[in-house]
Amino acid sequence: MWEHQSLFRVSAQLFAEGVFNLLDRSLRPEVFLLGFASAKEGDEPDAVVLEPTSVRYSPSDFRDVKLKATALEADKGPQGSVYHLHPNDHDRFEKQHWYELMCQATETTLQSLTTSRHESRRSFCSTPVSLQGYLVTVVLQLSAECYDNYYALPKPGSGRPANLPHAAVLEFMHDCTRALREADTADNDQPVLDRDYNEVLRSAGRRLMLRVAPAGTHGLYDACNGVAALRHEGDEGIGTMLVSRRQHPAVVPVLTLETPVPMRDHRSIRKLLELSEGHTALISDASHVFGLGQLVPESDSQFEPLVTVHFTNHYSWEVSHAGHVLMRVVSNTPRLPQGQVAADNFARIVRIVFPALDRDSIEYLWDLAQQATSQPNGTILVITTGAANEAKRLTRQSFRVVPRIMTPSVLRLVTNIDGAVLIEPNAMCHAIGVILDGLATEKGDSSRGSRYNGALRYVNSSKYPVLAVVVSEDGWIDLLPS
């Protein structure tokens, strides 16, 4: 299609891995390019081009996409003429409409292919860009099992994110489309897609907050960050805010302000948060706070689940809907809610790291891991065959204990202090409060805390088989290696 298509595809793949691995490594992003020759029918040679050619699909799988797009156009009926547009603008409008139909037809084709082949993948396509005689689209595929595991807002729509992964997909596709338009003029010695990964997620967070704001009010994401960053009389900002339109029938007013406070007035909002308690929350339409109120009981005919913003501590807040957390934001960095480690995933990784371990031992380690993940202040549980030797080596930066079988109740006590708990695969504990060491690694993540990065360095440089359960203070849970 064009000279540097391979470079672009590799850059897009690395970009996708950088973004979606920050959300959930189980999403396993895969990117490929799909090009449709503008002047050729689907059954002609080179009418459809795939990059890379080694992808598990073939050009013949997409030869009917143009026909499907034409059928979609017929189903939608005539769009009508936009008489007030300049003829050139009208042509652009028609082209954009055709590109959107091609995108829909491509996604439908991919959905049929993955279903017929029993591939657990979700497919997303960028709007095609005309490039040297081809309509080029970027295809992103994610693990359906992981993607569908996250709660999605009801009433999805075109361009309206249902949750944070979907918002990240939309933001990723936006960047890919922009980069494709610049492909002819870009300096190909530089990365095609080099935007900071966390900045992509911040933009995705803004998209999601725009989706939940009544009437699509801008600025809610940044306003929540501003409020969470402030303290009131030395205390952290902890409180709740319901986001709804004014005079919503599902909200019972408790106190109404005579003059609503703008959301951009962060200090006043932070002070008003002190009034929220229990079921009583601030009520905001995303542009102003206009009082206090409560959500009616679920048994009430007027009940409707509303978006709730919880300010959890300094620089931290989260968004939930119908009791499901959509997004957690810590230090202006959006992340997915991390629940308890799945039992089957934990057992799978344990079998990889410690293949000789029997089922009863794995279940016992699972009980310990569950106890570790319930520690509110964060902790690290390190399971390694070299626990005894490592306890000796790290004597000066740990509290060595007389070897004993670790139990969930004792683990709850010893994780109240900083540092890791060092145990063998048979649950024999050798040290607590361990300050882990290790060599620096390129797998580190500057957006994560020292607990995660310290455990990552230790696991990557350990000469023994090791599994670490890392629980951060913000609720983030990792299994290393994942």
Short mmCIF file of all heavy atoms in Angstrom, two decimals, residues 351-414:
data_model
loop_
_atom_site.label_atom_id
_atom_site.label_comp_id
_atom_site.label_asym_id
_atom_site.label_seq_id
_atom_site.Cartn_x
_atom_site.Cartn_y
_atom_site.Cartn_z
N ARG A 351 1.21 -23.16 38.93
CA ARG A 351 1.63 -24.40 38.26
C ARG A 351 2.79 -24.15 37.31
O ARG A 351 3.65 -25.01 37.10
CB ARG A 351 0.46 -25.03 37.52
CG ARG A 351 -0.61 -25.61 38.43
CD ARG A 351 -1.61 -26.44 37.65
NE ARG A 351 -2.73 -26.85 38.50
CZ ARG A 351 -3.90 -26.21 38.54
NH1 ARG A 351 -4.10 -25.16 37.76
NH2 ARG A 351 -4.85 -26.64 39.35
N ILE A 352 2.82 -22.97 36.70
CA ILE A 352 3.92 -22.63 35.80
C ILE A 352 5.20 -22.41 36.59
O ILE A 352 6.28 -22.90 36.22
CB ILE A 352 3.57 -21.36 34.98
CG1 ILE A 352 2.40 -21.66 34.03
CG2 ILE A 352 4.78 -20.87 34.19
CD1 ILE A 352 1.89 -20.43 33.32
N VAL A 353 5.11 -21.67 37.70
CA VAL A 353 6.30 -21.34 38.49
C VAL A 353 6.76 -22.53 39.32
O VAL A 353 7.97 -22.80 39.44
CB VAL A 353 6.01 -20.13 39.40
CG1 VAL A 353 7.24 -19.78 40.23
CG2 VAL A 353 5.59 -18.92 38.57
N PHE A 354 5.79 -23.27 39.91
CA PHE A 354 6.13 -24.41 40.77
C PHE A 354 5.40 -25.66 40.24
O PHE A 354 4.37 -26.07 40.79
CB PHE A 354 5.72 -24.15 42.22
CG PHE A 354 6.19 -22.83 42.77
CD1 PHE A 354 5.29 -21.81 43.05
CD2 PHE A 354 7.54 -22.60 43.00
CE1 PHE A 354 5.71 -20.60 43.56
CE2 PHE A 354 7.98 -21.39 43.52
CZ PHE A 354 7.07 -20.38 43.79
N PRO A 355 5.89 -26.27 39.17
CA PRO A 355 5.17 -27.38 38.54
C PRO A 355 5.01 -28.61 39.42
O PRO A 355 4.11 -29.43 39.18
CB PRO A 355 6.02 -27.70 37.30
CG PRO A 355 7.37 -27.12 37.58
CD PRO A 355 7.13 -25.93 38.45
N ALA A 356 5.85 -28.78 40.43
CA ALA A 356 5.78 -29.98 41.28
C ALA A 356 4.76 -29.85 42.40
O ALA A 356 4.52 -30.81 43.14
CB ALA A 356 7.16 -30.29 41.86
N LEU A 357 4.14 -28.68 42.55
CA LEU A 357 3.24 -28.44 43.68
C LEU A 357 1.91 -29.18 43.46
O LEU A 357 1.36 -29.17 42.37
CB LEU A 357 2.99 -26.94 43.82
CG LEU A 357 2.89 -26.37 45.24
CD1 LEU A 357 4.12 -26.73 46.05
CD2 LEU A 357 2.70 -24.86 45.20
N ASP A 358 1.40 -29.82 44.54
CA ASP A 358 0.14 -30.55 44.41
C ASP A 358 -1.06 -29.62 44.61
O ASP A 358 -0.90 -28.45 45.00
CB ASP A 358 0.07 -31.72 45.40
CG ASP A 358 0.22 -31.28 46.85
OD1 ASP A 358 -0.36 -30.24 47.23
OD2 ASP A 358 0.92 -31.96 47.61
N ARG A 359 -2.24 -30.13 44.36
CA ARG A 359 -3.46 -29.32 44.38
C ARG A 359 -3.74 -28.73 45.76
O ARG A 359 -4.11 -27.57 45.89
CB ARG A 359 -4.64 -30.18 43.92
CG ARG A 359 -5.96 -29.44 43.87
CD ARG A 359 -7.06 -30.33 43.33
NE ARG A 359 -8.34 -29.64 43.33
CZ ARG A 359 -9.47 -30.18 42.92
NH1 ARG A 359 -9.47 -31.43 42.46
NH2 ARG A 359 -10.59 -29.50 42.96
N ASP A 360 -3.56 -29.55 46.82
CA ASP A 360 -3.83 -29.04 48.17
C ASP A 360 -2.91 -27.88 48.53
O ASP A 360 -3.35 -26.90 49.16
CB ASP A 360 -3.66 -30.18 49.20
CG ASP A 360 -4.76 -31.23 49.09
OD1 ASP A 360 -5.82 -30.91 48.51
OD2 ASP A 360 -4.55 -32.36 49.56
N SER A 361 -1.65 -27.96 48.13
CA SER A 361 -0.70 -26.89 48.42
C SER A 361 -1.09 -25.61 47.67
O SER A 361 -0.99 -24.50 48.21
CB SER A 361 0.71 -27.31 48.03
OG SER A 361 1.13 -28.42 48.81
N ILE A 362 -1.53 -25.78 46.43
CA ILE A 362 -1.96 -24.61 45.65
C ILE A 362 -3.17 -23.95 46.29
O ILE A 362 -3.24 -22.72 46.40
CB ILE A 362 -2.27 -25.03 44.20
CG1 ILE A 362 -0.99 -25.48 43.49
CG2 ILE A 362 -2.92 -23.88 43.44
CD1 ILE A 362 -1.22 -26.01 42.09
N GLU A 363 -4.12 -24.76 46.77
CA GLU A 363 -5.31 -24.20 47.42
C GLU A 363 -4.94 -23.47 48.72
O GLU A 363 -5.54 -22.44 49.05
CB GLU A 363 -6.33 -25.30 47.70
CG GLU A 363 -6.97 -25.85 46.43
CD GLU A 363 -7.99 -26.94 46.72
OE1 GLU A 363 -8.09 -27.36 47.91
OE2 GLU A 363 -8.67 -27.38 45.78
N TYR A 364 -3.95 -23.99 49.44
CA TYR A 364 -3.54 -23.33 50.67
C TYR A 364 -2.86 -21.98 50.36
O TYR A 364 -3.11 -20.98 51.03
CB TYR A 364 -2.59 -24.22 51.47
CG TYR A 364 -2.33 -23.71 52.88
CD1 TYR A 364 -3.24 -23.96 53.90
CD2 TYR A 364 -1.19 -22.97 53.16
CE1 TYR A 364 -3.03 -23.48 55.17
CE2 TYR A 364 -0.97 -22.49 54.44
CZ TYR A 364 -1.88 -22.74 55.44
OH TYR A 364 -1.67 -22.25 56.70
N LEU A 365 -2.02 -21.98 49.33
CA LEU A 365 -1.40 -20.73 48.92
C LEU A 365 -2.46 -19.73 48.45
O LEU A 365 -2.31 -18.52 48.65
CB LEU A 365 -0.38 -20.98 47.79
CG LEU A 365 0.91 -21.72 48.19
CD1 LEU A 365 1.77 -21.94 46.96
CD2 LEU A 365 1.68 -20.93 49.26
N TRP A 366 -3.51 -20.25 47.84
CA TRP A 366 -4.60 -19.37 47.40
C TRP A 366 -5.28 -18.71 48.60
O TRP A 366 -5.60 -17.51 48.57
CB TRP A 366 -5.60 -20.18 46.58
CG TRP A 366 -6.92 -19.52 46.34
CD1 TRP A 366 -8.15 -19.95 46.75
CD2 TRP A 366 -7.16 -18.28 45.64
NE1 TRP A 366 -9.13 -19.08 46.36
CE2 TRP A 366 -8.55 -18.04 45.68
CE3 TRP A 366 -6.34 -17.37 45.01
CZ2 TRP A 366 -9.13 -16.93 45.09
CZ3 TRP A 366 -6.91 -16.25 44.41
CH2 TRP A 366 -8.29 -16.04 44.46
N ASP A 367 -5.46 -19.45 49.68
CA ASP A 367 -6.04 -18.86 50.89
C ASP A 367 -5.14 -17.74 51.43
O ASP A 367 -5.64 -16.69 51.87
CB ASP A 367 -6.21 -19.94 51.97
CG ASP A 367 -7.30 -20.96 51.61
OD1 ASP A 367 -8.16 -20.61 50.78
OD2 ASP A 367 -7.26 -22.08 52.14
N LEU A 368 -3.83 -17.96 51.40
CA LEU A 368 -2.91 -16.92 51.85
C LEU A 368 -2.96 -15.71 50.93
O LEU A 368 -2.93 -14.55 51.39
CB LEU A 368 -1.48 -17.47 51.91
CG LEU A 368 -1.20 -18.56 52.96
CD1 LEU A 368 0.26 -19.02 52.84
CD2 LEU A 368 -1.49 -18.05 54.36
N ALA A 369 -3.03 -15.96 49.62
CA ALA A 369 -3.09 -14.85 48.66
C ALA A 369 -4.35 -14.02 48.85
O ALA A 369 -4.32 -12.79 48.78
CB ALA A 369 -3.02 -15.38 47.23
N GLN A 370 -5.47 -14.70 49.13
CA GLN A 370 -6.72 -13.97 49.39
C GLN A 370 -6.58 -13.08 50.61
O GLN A 370 -7.07 -11.95 50.63
CB GLN A 370 -7.87 -14.95 49.58
CG GLN A 370 -8.43 -15.52 48.28
CD GLN A 370 -9.69 -16.31 48.53
OE1 GLN A 370 -9.70 -17.26 49.30
NE2 GLN A 370 -10.77 -15.92 47.89
N GLN A 371 -5.93 -13.58 51.65
CA GLN A 371 -5.73 -12.77 52.84
C GLN A 371 -4.84 -11.57 52.54
O GLN A 371 -5.08 -10.45 53.01
CB GLN A 371 -5.10 -13.61 53.95
CG GLN A 371 -4.89 -12.86 55.27
CD GLN A 371 -6.20 -12.35 55.85
OE1 GLN A 371 -7.11 -13.12 56.10
NE2 GLN A 371 -6.30 -11.05 56.02
N ALA A 372 -3.81 -11.78 51.72
CA ALA A 372 -2.91 -10.68 51.36
C ALA A 372 -3.65 -9.60 50.58
O ALA A 372 -3.43 -8.40 50.79
CB ALA A 372 -1.73 -11.21 50.54
N THR A 373 -4.56 -10.00 49.68
CA THR A 373 -5.26 -9.02 48.85
C THR A 373 -6.31 -8.24 49.64
O THR A 373 -6.83 -7.24 49.15
CB THR A 373 -5.95 -9.71 47.65
OG1 THR A 373 -6.83 -10.72 48.13
CG2 THR A 373 -4.93 -10.32 46.72
N SER A 374 -6.63 -8.68 50.85
CA SER A 374 -7.59 -7.94 51.68
C SER A 374 -6.91 -6.92 52.58
O SER A 374 -7.58 -6.24 53.35
CB SER A 374 -8.41 -8.93 52.53
OG SER A 374 -7.57 -9.59 53.46
N GLN A 375 -5.57 -6.82 52.50
CA GLN A 375 -4.83 -5.88 53.33
C GLN A 375 -5.03 -4.46 52.78
O GLN A 375 -4.60 -4.15 51.67
CB GLN A 375 -3.34 -6.25 53.33
CG GLN A 375 -2.42 -5.23 53.97
CD GLN A 375 -2.80 -4.92 55.41
OE1 GLN A 375 -3.43 -3.90 55.67
NE2 GLN A 375 -2.43 -5.79 56.33
N PRO A 376 -5.69 -3.56 53.52
CA PRO A 376 -6.02 -2.24 52.98
C PRO A 376 -4.82 -1.33 52.75
O PRO A 376 -4.88 -0.43 51.92
CB PRO A 376 -6.96 -1.65 54.05
CG PRO A 376 -6.60 -2.36 55.31
CD PRO A 376 -6.20 -3.74 54.89
N ASN A 377 -3.72 -1.55 53.47
CA ASN A 377 -2.56 -0.68 53.34
C ASN A 377 -1.55 -1.19 52.33
O ASN A 377 -0.50 -0.59 52.14
CB ASN A 377 -1.88 -0.49 54.70
CG ASN A 377 -2.78 0.22 55.69
OD1 ASN A 377 -3.52 1.14 55.32
ND2 ASN A 377 -2.75 -0.22 56.94
N GLY A 378 -1.87 -2.30 51.67
CA GLY A 378 -0.94 -2.84 50.69
C GLY A 378 0.12 -3.73 51.32
O GLY A 378 0.51 -3.52 52.48
N THR A 379 0.58 -4.71 50.58
CA THR A 379 1.61 -5.61 51.08
C THR A 379 2.18 -6.42 49.92
O THR A 379 1.71 -6.30 48.78
CB THR A 379 1.03 -6.57 52.15
OG1 THR A 379 2.09 -7.29 52.77
CG2 THR A 379 0.05 -7.55 51.53
N ILE A 380 3.19 -7.24 50.21
CA ILE A 380 3.78 -8.15 49.22
C ILE A 380 3.94 -9.52 49.86
O ILE A 380 4.53 -9.64 50.94
CB ILE A 380 5.15 -7.66 48.72
CG1 ILE A 380 5.08 -6.24 48.17
CG2 ILE A 380 5.68 -8.60 47.63
CD1 ILE A 380 6.43 -5.66 47.79
N LEU A 381 3.39 -10.53 49.21
CA LEU A 381 3.61 -11.91 49.64
C LEU A 381 4.52 -12.56 48.60
O LEU A 381 4.15 -12.68 47.43
CB LEU A 381 2.28 -12.66 49.72
CG LEU A 381 2.36 -14.16 50.05
CD1 LEU A 381 2.94 -14.37 51.45
CD2 LEU A 381 0.98 -14.81 49.95
N VAL A 382 5.74 -12.95 49.01
CA VAL A 382 6.72 -13.54 48.10
C VAL A 382 6.80 -15.03 48.37
O VAL A 382 7.13 -15.45 49.49
CB VAL A 382 8.11 -12.88 48.26
CG1 VAL A 382 9.12 -13.60 47.39
CG2 VAL A 382 8.04 -11.41 47.89
N ILE A 383 6.50 -15.84 47.37
CA ILE A 383 6.56 -17.30 47.46
C ILE A 383 7.75 -17.75 46.62
O ILE A 383 7.78 -17.53 45.40
CB ILE A 383 5.27 -17.95 46.95
CG1 ILE A 383 4.04 -17.34 47.63
CG2 ILE A 383 5.30 -19.46 47.16
CD1 ILE A 383 2.72 -17.67 46.96
N THR A 384 8.75 -18.35 47.25
CA THR A 384 9.96 -18.74 46.53
C THR A 384 10.58 -20.00 47.13
O THR A 384 10.53 -20.20 48.35
CB THR A 384 11.00 -17.60 46.52
OG1 THR A 384 12.22 -18.05 45.93
CG2 THR A 384 11.28 -17.09 47.91
N THR A 385 11.15 -20.81 46.28
CA THR A 385 11.84 -22.02 46.75
C THR A 385 13.10 -21.67 47.52
O THR A 385 13.61 -22.49 48.29
CB THR A 385 12.20 -22.93 45.57
OG1 THR A 385 12.98 -22.18 44.63
CG2 THR A 385 10.95 -23.45 44.86
N GLY A 386 13.60 -20.46 47.33
CA GLY A 386 14.82 -20.03 48.02
C GLY A 386 14.55 -19.17 49.22
O GLY A 386 15.41 -18.35 49.60
N ALA A 387 13.38 -19.31 49.85
CA ALA A 387 13.01 -18.43 50.96
C ALA A 387 14.01 -18.48 52.11
O ALA A 387 14.40 -17.44 52.68
CB ALA A 387 11.61 -18.80 51.47
N ALA A 388 14.50 -19.68 52.45
CA ALA A 388 15.44 -19.80 53.57
C ALA A 388 16.75 -19.09 53.26
O ALA A 388 17.27 -18.32 54.08
CB ALA A 388 15.70 -21.28 53.88
N ASN A 389 17.31 -19.33 52.08
CA ASN A 389 18.57 -18.68 51.70
C ASN A 389 18.39 -17.17 51.54
O ASN A 389 19.28 -16.40 51.91
CB ASN A 389 19.10 -19.29 50.40
CG ASN A 389 19.54 -20.72 50.58
OD1 ASN A 389 19.94 -21.14 51.67
ND2 ASN A 389 19.48 -21.50 49.50
N GLU A 390 17.26 -16.76 50.97
CA GLU A 390 17.01 -15.33 50.78
C GLU A 390 16.84 -14.62 52.12
O GLU A 390 17.26 -13.47 52.28
CB GLU A 390 15.78 -15.11 49.91
CG GLU A 390 15.99 -15.44 48.44
CD GLU A 390 16.96 -14.47 47.78
OE1 GLU A 390 16.53 -13.40 47.33
OE2 GLU A 390 18.17 -14.78 47.75
N ALA A 391 16.23 -15.30 53.11
CA ALA A 391 16.09 -14.69 54.43
C ALA A 391 17.46 -14.44 55.06
O ALA A 391 17.69 -13.41 55.70
CB ALA A 391 15.25 -15.59 55.33
N LYS A 392 18.40 -15.37 54.83
CA LYS A 392 19.76 -15.17 55.34
C LYS A 392 20.44 -14.02 54.61
O LYS A 392 21.11 -13.18 55.22
CB LYS A 392 20.57 -16.45 55.16
CG LYS A 392 20.12 -17.61 56.03
CD LYS A 392 20.94 -18.87 55.75
CE LYS A 392 20.44 -20.05 56.57
NZ LYS A 392 21.21 -21.30 56.26
N ARG A 393 20.30 -14.00 53.29
CA ARG A 393 20.96 -12.95 52.50
C ARG A 393 20.43 -11.56 52.85
O ARG A 393 21.19 -10.58 52.85
CB ARG A 393 20.74 -13.24 51.01
CG ARG A 393 21.48 -12.28 50.07
CD ARG A 393 21.26 -12.64 48.61
NE ARG A 393 19.90 -12.40 48.19
CZ ARG A 393 19.46 -11.21 47.74
NH1 ARG A 393 20.26 -10.17 47.72
NH2 ARG A 393 18.19 -11.07 47.35
N LEU A 394 19.15 -11.48 53.14
CA LEU A 394 18.52 -10.18 53.41
C LEU A 394 18.35 -9.93 54.91
O LEU A 394 17.46 -9.19 55.32
CB LEU A 394 17.16 -10.11 52.70
CG LEU A 394 17.20 -10.27 51.18
CD1 LEU A 394 15.78 -10.37 50.62
CD2 LEU A 394 17.93 -9.08 50.53
N THR A 395 19.21 -10.54 55.73
CA THR A 395 19.08 -10.44 57.19
C THR A 395 19.01 -9.00 57.66
O THR A 395 18.20 -8.64 58.53
CB THR A 395 20.27 -11.15 57.87
OG1 THR A 395 20.19 -12.55 57.58
CG2 THR A 395 20.23 -10.94 59.38
N ARG A 396 19.87 -8.13 57.09
CA ARG A 396 19.96 -6.75 57.57
C ARG A 396 18.80 -5.87 57.09
O ARG A 396 18.70 -4.73 57.52
CB ARG A 396 21.29 -6.13 57.13
CG ARG A 396 22.49 -6.74 57.84
CD ARG A 396 23.77 -5.99 57.52
NE ARG A 396 24.88 -6.47 58.30
CZ ARG A 396 25.18 -6.04 59.53
NH1 ARG A 396 24.43 -5.12 60.11
NH2 ARG A 396 26.22 -6.55 60.19
N GLN A 397 17.98 -6.39 56.22
CA GLN A 397 16.84 -5.59 55.75
C GLN A 397 15.54 -6.39 55.87
O GLN A 397 14.67 -6.33 55.01
CB GLN A 397 17.05 -5.12 54.31
CG GLN A 397 17.40 -6.22 53.31
CD GLN A 397 17.99 -5.65 52.04
OE1 GLN A 397 19.07 -5.04 52.07
NE2 GLN A 397 17.29 -5.82 50.91
N SER A 398 15.44 -7.14 56.99
CA SER A 398 14.22 -7.91 57.24
C SER A 398 14.18 -8.31 58.71
O SER A 398 15.14 -8.11 59.46
CB SER A 398 14.17 -9.16 56.36
OG SER A 398 15.19 -10.08 56.73
N PHE A 399 13.06 -8.89 59.12
CA PHE A 399 12.93 -9.51 60.44
C PHE A 399 12.82 -11.02 60.20
O PHE A 399 11.77 -11.51 59.77
CB PHE A 399 11.69 -9.01 61.18
CG PHE A 399 11.73 -7.54 61.50
CD1 PHE A 399 11.03 -6.63 60.73
CD2 PHE A 399 12.45 -7.07 62.59
CE1 PHE A 399 11.05 -5.28 61.02
CE2 PHE A 399 12.49 -5.72 62.90
CZ PHE A 399 11.80 -4.81 62.11
N ARG A 400 13.92 -11.72 60.47
CA ARG A 400 13.88 -13.18 60.31
C ARG A 400 13.07 -13.79 61.45
O ARG A 400 13.10 -13.31 62.59
CB ARG A 400 15.29 -13.75 60.28
CG ARG A 400 16.09 -13.34 59.05
CD ARG A 400 17.47 -13.95 59.05
NE ARG A 400 17.40 -15.42 59.01
CZ ARG A 400 18.46 -16.19 59.13
NH1 ARG A 400 19.67 -15.66 59.30
NH2 ARG A 400 18.35 -17.52 59.09
N VAL A 401 12.34 -14.86 61.14
CA VAL A 401 11.52 -15.52 62.15
C VAL A 401 11.90 -17.00 62.20
O VAL A 401 12.48 -17.53 61.25
CB VAL A 401 10.01 -15.39 61.83
CG1 VAL A 401 9.59 -13.94 61.83
CG2 VAL A 401 9.67 -16.06 60.50
N VAL A 402 11.60 -17.62 63.33
CA VAL A 402 11.77 -19.07 63.43
C VAL A 402 10.82 -19.70 62.42
O VAL A 402 9.62 -19.39 62.43
CB VAL A 402 11.46 -19.57 64.85
CG1 VAL A 402 11.55 -21.09 64.91
CG2 VAL A 402 12.40 -18.93 65.84
N PRO A 403 11.34 -20.53 61.51
CA PRO A 403 10.47 -21.08 60.46
C PRO A 403 9.19 -21.71 61.00
O PRO A 403 9.24 -22.49 61.96
CB PRO A 403 11.36 -22.13 59.78
CG PRO A 403 12.75 -21.64 60.01
CD PRO A 403 12.73 -21.02 61.38
N ARG A 404 8.07 -21.31 60.43
CA ARG A 404 6.78 -21.84 60.83
C ARG A 404 5.83 -21.76 59.64
O ARG A 404 6.01 -20.96 58.72
CB ARG A 404 6.19 -21.07 62.01
CG ARG A 404 5.94 -19.59 61.75
CD ARG A 404 4.80 -19.06 62.59
NE ARG A 404 3.53 -19.66 62.19
CZ ARG A 404 2.43 -19.64 62.94
NH1 ARG A 404 2.45 -19.07 64.12
NH2 ARG A 404 1.31 -20.19 62.49
N ILE A 405 4.80 -22.61 59.65
CA ILE A 405 3.80 -22.57 58.59
C ILE A 405 2.97 -21.29 58.73
O ILE A 405 2.43 -21.02 59.81
CB ILE A 405 2.88 -23.81 58.66
CG1 ILE A 405 3.67 -25.09 58.38
CG2 ILE A 405 1.74 -23.68 57.64
CD1 ILE A 405 4.21 -25.19 56.97
N MET A 406 2.92 -20.52 57.66
CA MET A 406 2.14 -19.29 57.69
C MET A 406 0.65 -19.61 57.54
O MET A 406 0.26 -20.44 56.71
CB MET A 406 2.59 -18.37 56.56
CG MET A 406 1.82 -17.04 56.49
SD MET A 406 1.91 -16.09 58.04
CE MET A 406 3.66 -15.69 58.08
N THR A 407 -0.17 -18.99 58.39
CA THR A 407 -1.63 -19.16 58.31
C THR A 407 -2.26 -17.83 57.92
O THR A 407 -1.66 -16.76 58.13
CB THR A 407 -2.20 -19.62 59.66
OG1 THR A 407 -1.96 -18.58 60.63
CG2 THR A 407 -1.55 -20.92 60.11
N PRO A 408 -3.47 -17.84 57.38
CA PRO A 408 -4.11 -16.57 57.01
C PRO A 408 -4.25 -15.60 58.16
O PRO A 408 -4.06 -14.39 57.99
CB PRO A 408 -5.49 -17.03 56.49
CG PRO A 408 -5.25 -18.41 55.96
CD PRO A 408 -4.24 -19.01 56.91
N SER A 409 -4.56 -16.10 59.37
CA SER A 409 -4.73 -15.20 60.52
C SER A 409 -3.41 -14.54 60.92
O SER A 409 -3.36 -13.35 61.24
CB SER A 409 -5.31 -15.97 61.71
OG SER A 409 -4.46 -17.05 62.07
N VAL A 410 -2.31 -15.32 60.89
CA VAL A 410 -1.00 -14.75 61.21
C VAL A 410 -0.55 -13.80 60.09
O VAL A 410 0.04 -12.75 60.36
CB VAL A 410 0.04 -15.86 61.43
CG1 VAL A 410 1.44 -15.27 61.63
CG2 VAL A 410 -0.34 -16.71 62.64
N LEU A 411 -0.86 -14.15 58.85
CA LEU A 411 -0.48 -13.28 57.73
C LEU A 411 -1.15 -11.92 57.85
O LEU A 411 -0.54 -10.89 57.55
CB LEU A 411 -0.87 -13.95 56.40
CG LEU A 411 -0.47 -13.20 55.14
CD1 LEU A 411 1.05 -13.11 55.02
CD2 LEU A 411 -1.06 -13.86 53.89
N ARG A 412 -2.40 -11.90 58.32
CA ARG A 412 -3.09 -10.63 58.51
C ARG A 412 -2.35 -9.74 59.50
O ARG A 412 -2.29 -8.52 59.33
CB ARG A 412 -4.52 -10.89 59.00
CG ARG A 412 -5.34 -9.62 59.25
CD ARG A 412 -6.74 -9.96 59.68
NE ARG A 412 -6.76 -10.77 60.89
CZ ARG A 412 -6.68 -10.24 62.12
NH1 ARG A 412 -6.55 -8.93 62.28
NH2 ARG A 412 -6.71 -11.03 63.17
N LEU A 413 -1.73 -10.35 60.52
CA LEU A 413 -0.99 -9.57 61.51
C LEU A 413 0.34 -9.07 60.96
O LEU A 413 0.69 -7.90 61.12
CB LEU A 413 -0.75 -10.43 62.76
CG LEU A 413 -2.00 -10.88 63.53
CD1 LEU A 413 -1.59 -11.81 64.67
CD2 LEU A 413 -2.76 -9.68 64.07
N VAL A 414 1.11 -9.96 60.32
CA VAL A 414 2.46 -9.59 59.92
C VAL A 414 2.48 -8.64 58.73
O VAL A 414 3.50 -7.98 58.48
CB VAL A 414 3.31 -10.84 59.60
CG1 VAL A 414 3.42 -11.73 60.83
CG2 VAL A 414 2.76 -11.62 58.41
#
